[in-house]
Amino acid sequence: MSKRFPDRLDPWRFADLGKEVNGEMPLDVFSRLRDILLKPDGKVCFELRFSRDERRRARLDGEIRTQLSLECQRCLGELILPVDRRISVVFVQGLKEAEMLPEDMDPCLVEEGMVVFSELIEDELLLALPQVSMHDRDICQIPRELATNELSPIEIKNGEQERENPFAVLAGLKRDKH
């Protein structure tokens, strides 16, 4: 086990040695993720094990855990997304090798024989993000001006926002011609 994580690592050597890497990193070191977060506070905890499978492929298995502060796209408030993600990847040196893997194995492309450790963790965190971050409807606090229709011509019916059909005018014109 290691308390300090390497910046770059040779995944095949780590797999041969059966290395375990455990620890935590601050969320603000992940530049791509930091731009998405509402608050880049906190840390990500990881427990990772390198090994070889029955076909001698270098593997990485483990878990990462954190809480991400995102902006709810419905109410624009803070949404805390708990992340408890299992990682299971096979290291490959090229796309051809990745295509030969069974469908149930995720490849991790290694360039120049080394993996940037923080990018490996960041990629998994980015994959954990929802397409659109929103609170559940029953706990989302929609701003009052949106709920009372003060900002746009949106009707609120049964708690759902509905826009007027833009083709309603055309349907009326078609009826007038007959």
Side-chain angles (χ1 to χ4, degrees):
M1 287 198 311
S2 171
K3 289 188 179 185
R4 175 153 161 56
F5 51 89
D7 294 328
R8 296 173 57 86
L9 58 88
D10 177 344
W12 290 278
R13 183 169 176 261
F14 272 52
D16 288 339
L17 297 172
K19 285 272 197 183
E20 291 186 18
V21 181
N22 302 323
E24 54 189 46
M25 297 174 75
L27 285 172
D28 63 359
V29 302
F30 303 112
S31 60
R32 293 175 290 155
L33 182 66
R34 185 178 55 230
D35 293 339
I36 297 169
L37 299 177
L38 191 61
K39 297 177 189 171
D41 302 334
K43 60 187 175 193
V44 58
C45 300
F46 52 87
E47 297 174 13
L48 306 173
R49 294 166 301 287
F50 292 83
S51 63
R52 293 276 185 174
D53 67 10
E54 66 282 350
R55 300 188 94 185
R56 302 290 303 148
R57 293 181 287 230
R59 295 184 55 94
L60 172 65
D61 296 285
E63 298 175 16
I64 59 172
R65 290 178 303 283
T66 190
Q67 290 192 351
L68 302 176
S69 171
L70 303 171
E71 183 176 52
C72 173
Q73 299 302 301
R74 184 179 295 131
C75 71
L76 305 179
E78 183 179 22
L79 167 76
I80 302 297
L81 176 71
V83 175
D84 190 356
R85 188 166 174 88
R86 296 210 34 83
I87 299 174
S88 184
V89 297
V90 175
F91 296 103
V92 296
Q93 291 181 321
L95 295 177
K96 191 170 190 173
E97 188 179 346
E99 290 172 358
M100 293 188 313
L101 289 176
E103 284 188 32
D104 62 337
M105 292 185 163
D106 289 330
C108 179
L109 185 61
V110 179
E111 297 175 6
E112 301 176 17
M114 300 296 272
V115 171
V116 178
F117 187 73
S118 61
E119 288 179 6
L120 183 72
I121 300 292
E122 185 175 28
D123 288 345
E124 291 298 323
L125 292 172
L126 289 169
L127 288 170
L129 293 174
Q131 284 185 340
V132 179
S133 56
M134 287 191 286
H135 292 110
D136 290 332
R137 285 191 184 276
D138 56 331
I139 63 170
C140 195
Q141 300 294 317
I142 298 173
R144 187 172 92 42
E145 56 272 5
L146 286 178
T148 59
N149 200 17
E150 293 175 14
L151 292 180
S152 63
I154 298 173
E155 290 184 36
I156 308 289
K157 293 182 182 176
N158 299 327
E160 298 286 327
Q161 296 181 356
E162 293 185 16
R163 292 197 179 271
E164 184 179 316
N165 184 344
F167 299 105
V169 173
L170 294 175
L173 290 173
K174 185 176 179 183
R175 273 180 277 181
D176 291 344
K177 282 189 167 187
H178 294 276

